[in-house]
Amino acid sequence: MSVFHCKLASLTLALAAVGGFVLLLVLAAHHPQAAPVLRILAFLWLIAAGASKLLFDLTEAAGRGNDRPSRHP
């Protein structure tokens, strides 16, 4: 996977995290009866999406580190 595709995938994960969070908060504002549950789901969504982005970025960085030639002879 090229660097461009990795950055694009990372950006997509970040936008999905924020977009889902905002969407759930908007739904909570429009449905007062379900608001407490929707707020909890919004924060769980943000935590889960943030963790997946972090994991993706770390594995991508580790994979990129293995591609570099060794400095030691």
Side-chain angles (χ1 to χ4, degrees), residues 13 19 27 38 45 58 61-63 72:
L13 280 171
L27 285 173
L38 289 170
W45 175 270
L58 288 174
H72 302 290

Side-chain angles (χ1 to χ4, degrees), residues 25-57:
L25 288 181
V26 168
L27 285 173
H30 288 300
H31 300 285
Q33 296 84 10
V37 174
L38 289 170
R39 285 188 199 118
I40 291 170
L41 288 175
F43 285 105
L44 289 175
W45 175 270
L46 191 62
I47 290 168
S52 67
K53 183 182 178 328
L54 178 65
L55 184 65
F56 177 83
D57 288 343

